[in-house]
Amino acid sequence: MAERQAVIGSRVGLHARPAAIFAEAAAEAPVEVTIALEGEPAEDALDASSILSLMGLGAEYGTTVILRAEGEGAEAALDELAKVLETDHDSE
Amino acid sequence: MSTQQVSYHGVGVSAGRVIGPVLRMPDPIAAPSDGAPLPEGSTAQAEIERLTAATQSVAAQLKARAATATGDAQGVLKATALMASDRTLLKSASTLVSGGTCAESAIWEAADAVATQLAALGGYMAERAGDVLDVRARIVAELRGVPAPGIPDSQEPFVLAAVDLAPADTATLDPAKVLALVTSDGGPQSHTAIIARSLGLPAIVAATGTTALRDGMQVFADGISGTVTTNPGAEQEHLAATYANREPLPDFDGHGVLADGHPVPLLANVGGGKDAQAAAAAGAQGVGLLRTEFCFLGRDAEPTHEEQVQAYGAVFEAFAGKKVVVRTLDAGADKPLPFLTDTTEPNPALGVRGYRTDAASPGVLARQLAAIAQAAAEHQAEVWTMAPMISTPAEAGAFAAMVSAAGLPTGGTMIEVPSAAVLAGGILSRCDFVSLGTNDLTQYTMAADRQLGTMAELNDPWQPAVLHLVKATAEGALDAGGKPVGVCGEAAADPALAVVLVGLGVNTLSMNKRALPPVAAVLRTVDLPAAQRLAALALEADSASEARRLVRAELPELDRFGL
């Protein structure tokens, strides 16, 4: 099981637009990726490609989240996705 | 297809003549019944496949729309497309289907849970809960094989036909795609009419029978005469082309004046600071109606003194050195407020509203006047204050005393109850000015509900009886020593009627800022004696439509500008 910590970089938090960008990226990953708030048990983690789950997470700017995935390519996929989360998409 | 023409007659509430294909506003999606079982003969597996296909199809439609949209709209559409194909949503709906629930009820319930969760997060996320419910309605429409709810989407501009439009519908209306609005219900003061005028779209309301219009039918929509004609021919094509080639209206230069130099200051109706800045930029010579409800609506409790001072100050700031007429809170009837109005009244238009709320809930008005006074002291605008729904000279006197006790220099009253028009002389001997609210004055004079489409013909400010009350008000003002009379209802925004109002003795006209250029242009084509002659014609007419026809026939400039 690969794991990455990421800090939400979008000023507005994981709201509609940043959540859409991340959900799309997660859906394209070769492995199934989950997301959870830091400190929450792994079995409560949500599907990272679900925009509704991401929005329901209520992750604000600066919140730390944990990404998890298993299988071939998991490490690379998580590196990529953590980068997406840490970018401020609203400054673009 | 038949080439026979059918004409539907309604009320033209916003000028313009166009030809285009009809698209109907679909009926709202009715909620499926709670936990309805699988369709007869179907299996859970087949039902899940049907649901999956529907979500994919809705996602594809939204994605295609996103591809043609730009800016914020594109982002919102992309996000809603992802919501439609969301795996978590589909999974929880599928679990319900496996338990024996049909696809429609399952997706309805599953989306409900998500929306409730988002709403609980508050703020921005709570607003997104509406997007989830919109996606849900689209998926259910897809499952049922009916058109998606909301304003139809089309690459080609169209004439939007509806029973009536709600404020939520009009908020998503794209003026680049909609050529004209046609409703079978609604009246001249309906939301459809107000939004059409503010976007400058031709609109015909209360056109009974237009429910027969179908998607794709070509129609000629004439917002000037208030007719909709199917299968337009050469005559209609000529009219639409003439309108399209109309002379552009000159921008308003900030001087409302008749051809002979008689001044008629043109002011703006505004509902907040931003609105006031836009009105000042459009040349408005002041504010003839500041609706203070904007500061109160959608709240459970009265706004604080500081909030009010800031909100009014933002308007005064835009009109330094100019007149701003503030109307005190007009709650009740179609604008209920939880802390002021009793929603159980059997007939709220005749109940506790406007100034009358002061007797039922004393204190709110005095506190509002104190906030207006402080905001006035902090800015350079010439602040006048008036109360809505004044019925007697005694009430006018009592309000004027409150205004003066608050330290405000100028107190007046709205004339919207017929009794106030009849006794305008007595009212004006007890206050400084009056402003005619023609929308309510018409509804009360004609005993015709302004929200009812079937009453549209009676509920028309061209009604000679309404014009007689305007005249009585102007005469009362003269008797009281020539005190100012303004009009701040929708009537002032109709260029032909504006001429009549001036002829009846009205001094200033206040309107939506978009109406300033046409009203100014038409006023400049008549002198005061001509306006008085046209007013006399209208007073003698036997109906609103005859009054309108007689006056318009004498104003050839209306055609030149396509008004």
Side-chain angles (χ1 to χ4, degrees), chain B residues 47-420:
Chain B
E47 193 70 349
I48 288 170
E49 278 165 24
R50 194 167 76 90
L51 177 59
T52 309
T55 59
Q56 282 166 354
S57 164
V58 170
Q61 292 161 22
L62 290 168
K63 231 184 231 167
R65 277 180 65 182
T68 62
T70 52
D72 283 353
Q74 184 172 48
V76 169
L77 285 167
K78 262 190 178 166
T80 46
L82 285 171
M83 287 178 193
S85 58
D86 193 279
R87 285 206 304 211
T88 305
L89 176 65
L90 184 60
K91 223 181 262 172
S92 49
S94 299
T95 307
L96 292 168
V97 173
S98 300
T101 305
C102 73
E104 288 88 343
S105 299
I107 192 75
W108 198 267
E109 192 181 326
D112 209 42
V114 174
T116 308
Q117 187 196 359
L118 291 180
L121 289 172
Y124 178 89
M125 285 304 178
E127 289 169 33
R128 300 281 73 77
D131 296 349
V132 176
L133 298 181
D134 175 63
V135 164
R136 168 177 87 169
R138 288 175 183 278
I139 296 171
V140 171
E142 182 73 24
L143 286 165
R144 287 180 182 160
V146 300
I151 295 195
D153 181 47
S154 163
Q155 294 299 329
E156 227 185 297
F158 56 95
V159 173
L160 180 63
V163 173
D164 198 3
L165 295 175
D169 302 325
T170 51
T172 58
L173 197 151
D174 178 359
K177 285 287 169 61
V178 178
L179 294 168
L181 302 175
V182 174
T183 65
S184 55
D185 216 323
Q189 340 285 2
S190 64
H191 285 290
T192 306
I194 290 165
I195 194 76
R197 278 189 288 258
S198 80
L199 294 176
L201 287 175
I204 300 100
V205 301
T208 318
T210 52
T211 43
L213 294 176
R214 289 289 163 260
D215 285 357
M217 286 167 79
Q218 284 290 120
V219 292
F220 170 63
D222 185 342
I224 297 170
S225 71
T227 53
V228 182
T229 309
T230 63
N231 292 314
E235 185 195 337
Q236 286 82 25
E237 276 163 23
H238 173 74
L239 285 169
T242 309
Y243 182 78
N245 295 322
R246 69 195 180 279
E247 206 171 298
L249 278 166
D251 284 340
F252 178 47
D253 62 7
H255 294 282
V257 67
L258 298 187
D260 54 5
H262 176 81
V264 182
L266 301 183
L267 317 172
N269 295 346
V270 307
K274 242 173 134 181
D275 214 7
Q277 284 168 15
Q285 293 171 266
V287 169
L289 171 64
L290 167 58
R291 300 184 174 98
T292 55
E293 296 78 62
F294 76 95
C295 196
F296 290 79
L297 285 175
R299 314 181 56 127
D300 300 329
E302 187 184 342
T304 65
H305 178 78
E306 287 70 28
E307 281 175 292
Q308 293 192 53
V309 171
Q310 196 189 11
Y312 309 146
V315 175
F316 299 162
E317 196 177 356
F319 284 93
K322 298 197 172 139
K323 180 163 95 175
V324 175
V325 182
V326 182
R327 178 179 71 187
T328 57
L329 188 56
D330 189 17
D334 55 341
K335 291 167 285 204
L337 284 180
F339 55 94
L340 263 186
T341 48
D342 169 10
T343 51
T344 63
E345 284 178 350
N347 202 344
L350 304 182
V352 179
R353 54 169 299 199
Y355 174 73
R356 299 166 180 185
T357 54
D358 188 51
S361 318
V364 178
L365 179 58
R367 288 190 288 275
Q368 186 181 25
L369 289 171
I372 295 168
Q374 185 177 333
E378 289 172 3
H379 293 86
Q380 310 304 317
E382 187 192 324
V383 176
W384 295 19
T385 312
M386 66 179 178
M389 288 300 285
I390 293 285
S391 309
T392 65
E395 285 178 356
F399 177 72
M402 287 180 81
V403 169
S404 137
L408 285 160
T410 313
T413 67
M414 294 273 294
I415 302 284
E416 46 194 343
V417 181
S419 63

